[in-house]
Amino acid sequence: MDQLLVVGVGGIGVLAGNEKGAGDIGSDLVTMSAPMMMSSAKEFIVGDDSGWSLGFDYQAWAVDKNFQVGDKLVFKYAAGAHSVFKVNGTGFQSCIKPPANEALTTGDDAIVLATPGKKWYICGVGNHCDMGQKLTINVQPLELKPIVAPSPSPSPLPGKPYPWKKVAKRPFLNNLHWW
């Protein structure tokens, strides 16, 4: 039996089928392997209206933000005026630029935060990093929120009738004789 892991906004499931192919709908089965969960990724424009530029305090900008796995950072700037490099902690502290082929340079660079932990970004143009054009953030693990389904109507206890329902006497049981 072939299986395909299905991951979506609504949850995670397994689609199982047989070798006959997709035309045999009766053999397909979808089972949920996790409770229904929802997450909403956010998009952060680095520096908000100021974008990725000189003379902006990116650490102050990031301090009240809650970055989570799946969120997106967007660096907006005039192409050619700046660049974006992802670096490690040492590269961040010392403004060490990676090789030029690792630079993001479009002026509308989007980075999806795929893993939790510290992330460091610097501008690789001239001495912009030394002048403070750098950002460090802490990415939190994905926080899934359960989808709350409506509660079902209460069911009666076994052997007890619904309180609003009168049960008629069963006259045929009263006249039974066991001899």
Side-chain angles (χ1 to χ4, degrees):
M1 181 180 291
D2 297 329
Q3 291 188 340
L4 173 65
L5 181 63
V6 180
V7 180
V9 174
I12 302 171
V14 177
L15 178 63
N18 63 17
E19 293 78 30
K20 292 180 184 175
D24 188 7
I25 296 173
S27 67
D28 293 339
L29 171 68
V30 175
T31 57
M32 294 311 290
S33 62
M36 294 294 279
M37 301 286 203
M38 233 175 141
S39 165
S40 57
K42 295 179 186 170
E43 182 175 287
F44 294 94
I45 306 297
V46 177
D48 295 326
D49 292 336
S50 296
W52 186 236
S53 62
L54 288 169
F56 188 85
D57 186 349
Y58 292 99
Q59 296 323 112
W61 172 83
V63 75
D64 65 343
K65 309 244 180 323
N66 181 23
F67 300 101
Q68 290 188 355
V69 168
D71 288 347
K72 186 189 301 184
L73 291 180
V74 180
F75 292 83
K76 292 191 174 277
Y77 55 92
H82 302 288
S83 66
V84 180
F85 282 103
K86 183 173 189 240
V87 295
N88 61 22
T90 303
F92 180 83
Q93 290 293 79
S94 302
C95 291
I96 300 169
K97 297 175 203 167
N101 65 346
E102 294 180 24
L104 301 176
T105 59
T106 68
D108 192 18
D109 303 316
I111 298 172
V112 175
L113 303 172
T115 59
K118 285 256 190 204
K119 309 293 179 208
W120 300 271
Y121 304 95
I122 65 171
C123 179
V125 173
N127 63 349
H128 292 190
C129 178
D130 293 315
M131 296 170 65
Q133 193 175 356
K134 54 187 184 176
L135 168 68
T136 183
I137 62 172
N138 191 22
V139 179
Q140 301 300 315
L142 183 61
E143 195 175 286
L144 296 175
K145 299 173 184 100
I147 298 173
V148 180
S151 314
S153 300
S155 60
L157 296 173
K160 303 275 184 184
Y162 286 103
W164 62 85
K165 192 176 188 181
K166 278 208 167 211
V167 178
K169 295 212 181 225
R170 299 179 186 121
F172 63 89
L173 293 177
N174 294 338
N175 294 329
L176 285 180
H177 297 284
W178 297 102
W179 63 95

